[in-house]
Amino acid sequence: QALGNRGTVTEASGFNPEEDAQKIYNAMKGAGTNEATIIEILAHRTIAQRQKIKEAFKQSVGKELLDCLKSELTGNFEMIVVGLMMPAPVYDAYELKNAIKGAGTEEACLIDILASRSKAEIKEIIATYKKEHGKSLEDDVCGDTSGMFQRVLVSLLTAGRDESTKVDEAQAVQDAKDIYEAGEAHWGTDEVKFLTVLCVRNRNHLLRVFQEYQKISGRDIEDSIKREMSGCLEDAFLAIVKCMKNKPAFFAERLYKSMKGLGTTDSVLIRIMVARAEIDMLDIKAEFLKMYGKTLHSFIKGDTSGDYRKILLELCGGEK
C-alpha cells in the first residue's frame, strides 16, 4: 500500500517482486547499467513494494540490492534511487544523520523534516535513528545546534504536540496576546512564548491563534516572525507556521526555492521528491502551479538533466 492517497506513486498492479528483481539484476550485470529499466521499475512501485523487491533480489542473487545500486550508480541519480529504496522513517533518519555529520550542519534539513512530520512519524524516526545509527537523535541534534534554535528542535523531538482538533477559544485569544506581547509589543523578543504556542498546540487551535494575532497586531504571524527573528530560528518558526497553514504549499515553496535562480539545491529537491512521492505530491503540484503560475514538471525539466531528470519527472508524475 502507498503511504498516503494523494501521491503520484501508487501501488503497481500485477506486482511480481521476483520478476522486478531479475530485471534490475540484468540491468546492472556486465559493462554499463541500463538506467531506463531501473527508473521504469523503481519510480513506479511503492516503498512497501520496493522492500519486497529487495528481499527477492537478496534471495536470488545473494547480495544486497542497495549495495549493488550504490556501486553501479553515481551522483544525484544514485542519491534518489538509494532514497527510494528506504522505508520512510529510515530515509528521514538517514537524511538527518547526513545533515548532522561532518563539518557544518544542514539546518534546512533538520527544519524540513522535524517541522513537517506528525507525532507518530517523529516517534518512528527517533526509534529508527537509534536502531540504524546507535545514537540518540536528540543528543546528536543538541551536539550540533545551540540556543533557542536547539530548544525548538528539542521540543519538536518530544513529539508532544496536541493532535486533537478542538479549539479552546479563550486560550486561542490568550495565546495570540502572549505572542504579541512577547514580540511586536516590546523591545526584544521572548522567544520561549513563541515556542510554547507553536510547538505544543494543535493545528486547528493554531489556525485560530493566527487569526486572532492578525486582529490584535494588524500583521500576519509570518511577517512578525520575520521582523522579530533571524537565522535558523526564524526559518524554524516560519516552517512550523507554514506547515500548520498548508503543508503541501510549504513543500511547493521549498521546491521552488531549491530551483529558482542560479544553481539547484539538489539535496532539498531530492529529499522532498523522494519523501512526498506517495503521500501528497499531487497536492504539492497543485499548490506549486497556483503559487508560481508554472508547473513543477516544467521547473524540474528546465533545471536538471540526464537520468536524474528522468527519474524526478517520473516521481513528479505527468505535466499537469
Side-chain angles (χ1 to χ4, degrees), residues 119 161-169 172 200-209 244:
K119 207 162 150 170
R161 185 183 298 284
D162 165 25
E163 285 194 342
S164 72
T165 52
K166 68 174 195 298
V167 178
D168 177 336
E169 263 321 306
V200 178
R201 310 283 189 256
N202 74 57
R203 177 168 181 257
N204 285 7
H205 183 90
L206 280 175
L207 295 177
R208 190 74 196 84
V209 172
M244 287 297 155

Side-chain angles (χ1 to χ4, degrees), residues 66 69-70 73-86 91 94-95 98 106 265-271 274 308 311:
L66 207 51
L69 289 166
K70 280 179 185 169
L73 313 175
T74 56
N76 289 325
F77 181 61
E78 178 193 346
M79 282 170 71
I80 288 218
V81 172
V82 166
L84 289 174
M85 294 311 297
M86 297 179 184
Y91 183 58
Y94 167 82
E95 284 288 288
N98 287 340
E106 196 207 332
T265 314
D266 294 296
S267 58
V268 175
L269 177 56
I270 292 169
R271 182 165 56 242
V274 169
Y308 175 46
I311 198 161

